[in-house]
Amino acid sequence: MKEVLPLAEGWSLSHSDNPLPAQVPGCVHTDLLTAGLIPDPFLGVNETDVAWVGQRAWTYARDLPASDTAGEGHERADLVFDGLDTAATITLDGRELGRTRNMHRRYRFDVTGHHGRLEVDFASAYDEAASVLAVTGERPNVYPEPFQYIRKMACSFGWDWGPTLVTAGIWRPVRLERWSTARLADVRPLVTVHDGTGRVEIRVEIERTAQGTARPLAVRATVGKGLAEARGEVEGTHAVLTLEVPDAALWWPRGYGDQPLYDLELALVEETGETGETGETEEAGEERPLDSWHRRIGFRTVELDRSSDEHGTGFTLVVNGERIFARGGNWIPDDVFPSRITPERYRTRLRQTADAGVDLVRIWGGGIYEDDAFYDACDELGLMVWQDFPFACAAYPEEQPLRGEVEAEARDNVVRLMPHPSLVLWNGNNENLWGFRDWDWEPELRGDSWGGGYYLDLLPRIVAELDPSRPYTAGSPWSGSWDHHPNDPAHGTYHSWEVWNRRDYTEYRDSVPRFVSEFGWQAPPALATLRRALPGEGLAPDSPGMLHHQKAEDGNGKLNRGVERHFVLPEGDFDRWHYLTQVVQARAIATGIEHWRSHWPVCAGTIVWQINDCWPVSSWSAIDGDGRLKPLYHELRRVYADRLLTLQPGDGDEGLPVLAAVNQSAEPWQARVTLRRLRADGTEAAEHVLDLTVAARSVHRRSVPQDLAPAPESAKEFLVADSEDLRSVHFRVTDREFAYPVPHYDVAVESPVGAGTGNVEVVVTAHTLVRDLLLQADRLGPDAVCDTGLRTLLPGERLRLRVAGAAETGANAVRAALFCVEPA
């Protein structure tokens, strides 16, 4: 039976004559940090002080004893790397085993009978990129870094939310595999469902030793505990098995059903009966196990409806026949040093993502194919995964040596990830088709390759060959063909960035795209995160550390303009600026999602940019680089809930506001909605009660009665819609124009049963209109968390906030951590 020896221990790292202990998996930066040789690049402006690390060559080394690679009854010993970052030469006792140039691939080297000093020499990624550029020639790029010339995580080279920390190292596990006769080289389970019967077609590739060339082999497969079994003979190096599971329980996205998972196990065996002169088995005998393989699978169907209609070209995910409005979030690597991301960290972040109402995670193309632990968690949580191939925001050469690497990595990862039922879509790239058309690449290229051959030919062919159970789309954004602009909102997927870059967030309402796969609005991280990341700094929007941790072009200018369109920009009051930027981010995203959800099924999904961060930074994230939840996170929980009540301005009859009740649940919604026109002082001017029946997975829209609509440009009246615990408010003018009263509210702190646990409840009683009240719990303690984000209270209303991790907190401290909208 195959034996696996992990090689995590005994490594050293050096770039001179002074080796230091190395952690594997790991990277150069984390080892240097552990040794105290570099400052933490996440703090202050230290990032610039460690730039030299990415410019140097580095060597990992350890001894590989003879006992590990020979003897013990095994014919072969293979050295297996699950991930090398990136351009490496591997030698054993001075003999070169091979060279690598791709972070996204696995590598295997035959080291049978060899031993001695094992060295992995990493060249600088900059040097590798320069050598490829010299062969292929230059290509346009949106950032001044050479990431398109090396198959490496692009955001290692920095992004408009990420630091430039160019890594090197053995970033995924390394091991020895010792085996005889044959091993399982590739296992491809094609999982489908037909008329309630689950079907698993398994295609197996076998590698044999020289001695095992003619030996009779078989593969056995089982699903669950005896639900289905199959056995097949190996023909040369191939085998195909088919298993059927009657009445298979379907895997559903969260909110649509359960996520049953089945164990799929495969065994490679040698038939050890008596053999005749032909080498064929004459009598059945014992089976000797040689290798095994195990994954969890789920039965479901997934389609992508891209049919044309009167609105353009659709883009709707259909799972098990159910058409889905995708409530999505874009995912970037959760750490700029991905080797630090543990399975527990993946599960925490993805649980947070699911708890925000997200049902689809898009793995963005400037990152990586994530670890299996990521997809395992998504399988269990019911989070659909949209997987970009790693291409982003640049023209990529299609010549060698890159083309061969692209094909090898795609084949490697399609096979690795296809067992996961959560994976529902392969996507060719991020913004490169758009860039070719709109960003002046075409004239600069003058006919040179730019990646189109990957996205429109190579990658779809690989997916069709290896994983035909899933749809493929050429890019995000992509209209489906060159007959339409790549970023046409009426066709396919759409990226909405003009609003953040140049406009007011209310302009999200100007169109109804078919599927919004990127849109976002920035805000700084939580105050406790800033204080940790910028120690000793007097915080100001333009303080040195704040500017260094703002990577977007004119990022602070866009933040300020976003605030100024609605509020008076506070001068010299960082706390107020911090609060208002958070409010605007949450409102901006809510404005887009509420509008687009209210137009289902024309719009079939939104994927907010972005769920997470890779370090402490001002960015578009809902969860900051220290894992703290921004107000946007809580707003996502509201606008991505199964049931949403929203007031949309001015698109109803005679320009009246529209009430939209969105029901994405499986049951009809009998909604009693109270509509009120209120004065700024909270007194009621008019009221109307509506009884609505909203069918499952549908939207009900109706104009607000004319006598309830505040007058156009009214600065003294507003509209409120309430149904159970759902609320929507609508103001005709901006906050700076509205006649807000001075907010007045009482604060009480209660300790629930179990005093001393650090959990308290804060009760806020409003005596005036209190808009967008926010308790910034991290101001009470760096680990304190509040269960609620922005809330609007009417006079006489009481709000109970639950705070964890804030022991011995009094009302005065809580009041200092509470913010709300104030009159201009």
Side-chain angles (χ1 to χ4, degrees):
M1 186 70 174
K2 184 175 74 176
E3 184 179 9
V4 176
L5 301 179
L7 298 180
E9 306 295 331
W11 291 91
S12 64
L13 170 68
S14 62
H15 69 276
S16 61
D17 295 329
N18 300 308
L20 58 133
Q23 181 174 336
V24 172
C27 74
V28 172
H29 288 82
T30 54
D31 288 331
L32 294 174
L33 269 170
T34 300
L37 297 177
I38 60 171
D40 187 340
F42 286 12
L43 303 185
V45 297
N46 291 343
E47 174 199 351
T48 57
D49 296 333
V50 302
W52 61 272
V53 176
Q55 303 283 352
R56 301 286 295 270
W58 300 88
T59 297
Y60 284 79
R62 61 157 286 166
D63 290 327
L64 197 61
S67 59
D68 284 353
T69 60
E72 302 285 335
H74 294 94
E75 298 173 42
R76 275 275 296 273
D78 289 348
L79 177 64
V80 182
F81 294 94
D82 283 339
L84 292 170
D85 177 17
T86 293
T89 302
I90 301 97
T91 58
L92 179 58
D93 195 29
R95 180 176 71 95
E96 183 176 310
L97 300 178
R99 301 189 178 209
T100 73
R101 60 196 331 154
N102 194 325
M103 179 182 185
H104 306 300
R105 289 181 58 187
R106 295 171 289 184
Y107 295 94
R108 177 180 293 267
F109 304 101
D110 182 355
V111 293
T112 307
H114 296 281
H115 61 277
R117 192 69 170 166
L118 174 61
E119 294 189 347
V120 184
D121 296 308
F122 289 97
S124 161
Y126 285 105
D127 291 344
E128 168 66 13
S131 68
V132 172
L133 186 153
V135 172
T136 65
E138 289 196 47
R139 300 294 194 280
N141 182 342
V142 298
Y143 295 108
E145 294 282 341
F147 61 81
Q148 74 265 50
Y149 306 106
I150 182 170
R151 296 308 298 157
K152 174 179 173 58
M153 183 173 86
C155 60
S156 284
F157 293 89
W159 219 260
D160 55 4
W161 37 258
T164 302
L165 294 168
V166 180
T167 53
I170 305 172
W171 75 289
R172 280 182 168 159
V174 55
R175 62 190 175 277
L176 275 175
E177 291 186 2
R178 305 192 299 193
W179 54 283
S180 298
T181 306
R183 70 174 186 91
L184 296 168
D186 265 333
V187 179
R188 291 195 292 117
L190 192 63
V191 182
T192 55
V193 183
H194 302 279
D195 297 325
T197 296
R199 189 173 188 271
V200 187
E201 181 183 285
I202 309 173
R203 295 188 175 272
V204 184
E205 298 292 328
I206 307 296
E207 182 182 9
R208 296 175 182 259
T209 63
Q211 295 90 331
T213 299
R215 294 187 184 180
L217 305 177
V219 286
R220 289 187 282 102
T222 62
V223 175
K225 295 181 178 179
L227 292 178
E229 297 181 358
R231 184 182 186 281
E233 305 298 320
V234 175
E235 301 291 338
T237 59
H238 308 280
V240 180
L241 295 176
T242 300
L243 301 93
E244 292 192 345
V245 179
D247 301 318
L250 296 181
W251 183 97
W252 287 94
R254 63 175 302 279
Y256 289 82
D258 296 330
Q259 293 79 44
L261 298 171
Y262 293 82
D263 289 303
L264 174 61
E265 300 195 40
L266 189 75
L268 173 66
V269 298
E270 179 184 4
E271 299 173 332
T272 58
E274 296 295 327
T275 58
E277 295 180 0
T278 63
E280 294 185 357
T281 302
E282 294 181 340
E283 296 181 12
E286 296 293 325
E287 291 183 340
R288 182 166 68 96
L290 300 175
D291 200 355
S292 63
W293 179 96
H294 168 259
R295 297 290 188 278
R296 291 184 305 171
I297 61 171
F299 293 102
R300 55 100 186 97
T301 63
V302 58
E303 302 167 86
L304 183 60
D305 184 355
R306 290 182 268 203
S307 57
S308 299
D309 56 27
E310 67 272 24
H311 304 286
T313 309
F315 193 93
T316 304
L317 283 165
V318 184
V319 179
N320 299 327
E322 185 79 58
R323 300 175 68 82
I324 290 175
F325 181 97
R327 293 168 279 187
N330 280 279
W331 173 276
I332 65 172
D334 205 52
D335 196 320
V336 75
F337 306 130
S339 59
R340 296 200 296 200
I341 309 173
T342 62
E344 294 74 23
R345 180 166 164 183
Y346 273 127
R347 190 165 296 276
T348 295
R349 195 71 71 242
L350 289 167
R351 166 51 68 187
Q352 290 173 320
T353 300
D355 287 347
V358 170
D359 60 20
L360 180 145
V361 178
R362 176 190 172 214
I363 300 177
W364 167 77
I368 57 177
Y369 307 92
E370 297 286 348
D371 187 81
D372 282 302
F374 176 98
Y375 306 92
D376 287 341
C378 290
D379 291 342
E380 296 168 14
L381 293 168
L383 287 169
M384 296 179 286
V385 177
W386 161 327
Q387 176 71 59
D388 280 15
F389 286 97
F391 302 89
C393 299
Y396 284 78
E398 297 176 40
E399 292 77 26
Q400 299 293 7
L402 289 179
R403 185 177 181 84
E405 290 294 338
V406 168
E407 178 163 1
E409 89 177 42
R411 291 183 175 278
D412 192 344
N413 286 283
V414 168
V415 170
R416 177 173 72 91
L417 300 180
M418 64 184 293
H420 294 281
S422 57
L423 180 58
V424 298
L425 183 68
W426 293 102
N427 176 52
N429 74 89
N430 175 76
E431 298 191 343
N432 293 344
L433 296 160
W434 182 18
F436 178 73
R437 176 58 55 87
D438 260 10
W439 300 347
D440 297 323
W441 291 1
E442 199 167 359
E444 184 177 343
L445 286 164
R446 295 188 298 277
D448 285 345
S449 66
W450 56 277
Y454 296 147
Y455 322 133
L456 299 170
D457 179 25
L458 177 65
L459 295 176
R461 282 194 291 106
I462 290 173
V463 171
E465 173 195 343
L466 300 178
D467 188 18
S469 69
R470 288 179 179 86
Y472 169 90
T473 184
S476 183
W478 178 232
S479 60
S481 79
W482 291 115
D483 293 339
H484 308 288
H485 188 280
N487 199 32
D488 186 333
H491 300 277
T493 50
Y494 177 69
H495 287 195
S496 177
W497 285 115
E498 281 297 294
V499 173
W500 155 253
N501 284 321
R502 296 173 181 84
R503 301 176 183 172
D504 181 42
Y505 64 74
T506 58
E507 296 185 56
Y508 282 132
R509 301 189 184 111
D510 288 352
S511 68
V512 182
R514 305 312 302 268
F515 194 109
V516 187
S517 48
E518 271 191 29
F519 76 109
W521 202 277
Q522 265 204 359
L527 185 68
T529 299
L530 289 172
R531 285 176 173 161
R532 187 195 70 81
L534 307 176
E537 180 166 309
L539 294 177
D542 58 353
S543 60
M546 285 293 295
L547 290 179
H548 186 78
H549 289 246
Q550 167 59 275
K551 297 295 187 178
E553 181 181 359
D554 191 29
N556 273 14
K558 294 170 185 175
L559 282 175
N560 290 340
R561 288 190 290 276
V563 170
E564 283 182 306
R565 292 183 182 109
H566 295 267
F567 303 94
V568 175
L569 189 67
E571 298 291 343
D573 186 344
F574 178 79
D575 288 344
R576 193 76 193 159
W577 178 85
H578 183 266
Y579 161 74
L580 290 177
T581 54
Q582 299 276 0
V583 168
V584 172
Q585 181 189 37
R587 282 199 199 171
I589 298 307
T591 296
I593 292 175
E594 289 185 10
H595 169 66
W596 295 320
R597 280 193 75 183
S598 75
H599 285 279
W600 160 260
V602 177
C603 180
T606 59
I607 311 182
V608 66
W609 186 271
Q610 65 214 60
I611 284 292
N612 59 329
D613 267 324
C614 65
W615 77 314
V617 64
S618 291
S619 83
W620 298 264
S621 71
I623 305 170
D624 77 16
D626 280 7
R628 294 187 174 90
L629 309 180
K630 294 183 183 180
L632 170 59
Y633 176 88
H634 296 282
E635 196 68 354
L636 286 176
R637 291 176 60 189
R638 182 183 71 83
V639 297
Y640 271 165
D642 280 351
R643 292 175 176 172
L644 172 68
L645 200 65
T646 176
L647 289 163
Q648 296 293 309
D651 60 353
D653 298 335
E654 300 179 4
L656 293 171
V658 166
L659 173 70
V662 182
N663 180 22
Q664 206 161 343
S665 71
E667 301 297 329
W669 177 19
Q670 304 296 331
R672 170 157 286 195
V673 180
T674 302
L675 282 168
R676 288 177 286 173
R677 176 162 53 89
L678 301 178
R679 302 180 184 94
D681 63 5
T683 58
E684 186 176 291
E687 177 182 312
H688 190 76
V689 177
L690 301 175
D691 288 311
L692 308 179
T693 298
V694 189
R697 320 291 193 200
S698 68
V699 178
H700 180 97
R701 294 170 60 91
R702 68 165 61 183
S703 296
V704 170
Q706 187 147 13
D707 64 322
L708 285 175
E713 310 305 322
S714 172
K716 295 184 178 180
E717 290 187 333
F718 62 105
L719 183 62
V720 179
D722 288 301
S723 181
E724 298 176 349
D725 60 344
L726 304 181
R727 167 168 286 175
S728 181
V729 296
H730 171 58
F731 292 76
R732 290 285 207 177
V733 297
T734 65
D735 297 79
R736 63 188 300 162
E737 298 168 303
F738 192 76
Y740 284 110
V742 175
H744 177 43
Y745 53 85
D746 294 331
V747 177
V749 178
E750 301 176 359
S751 295
V753 176
T757 62
N759 298 332
V760 299
E761 293 188 353
V762 175
V763 179
V764 179
T765 304
H767 300 291
T768 64
L769 169 64
V770 179
R771 188 168 188 204
D772 283 338
L773 181 74
L774 175 67
L775 175 59
Q776 295 190 4
D778 61 294
R779 293 174 179 266
L780 304 175
D783 298 323
V785 177
C786 183
D787 69 341
T788 305
L790 299 167
R791 296 288 293 272
T792 292
L793 303 180
L794 305 178
E797 290 186 334
R798 177 174 293 182
L799 174 65
R800 185 174 293 271
L801 307 171
R802 293 170 177 83
V803 181
E808 300 180 5
T809 297
N812 289 337
V814 170
R815 185 173 284 277
L818 281 166
F819 294 80
C820 67
V821 173
E822 296 177 353

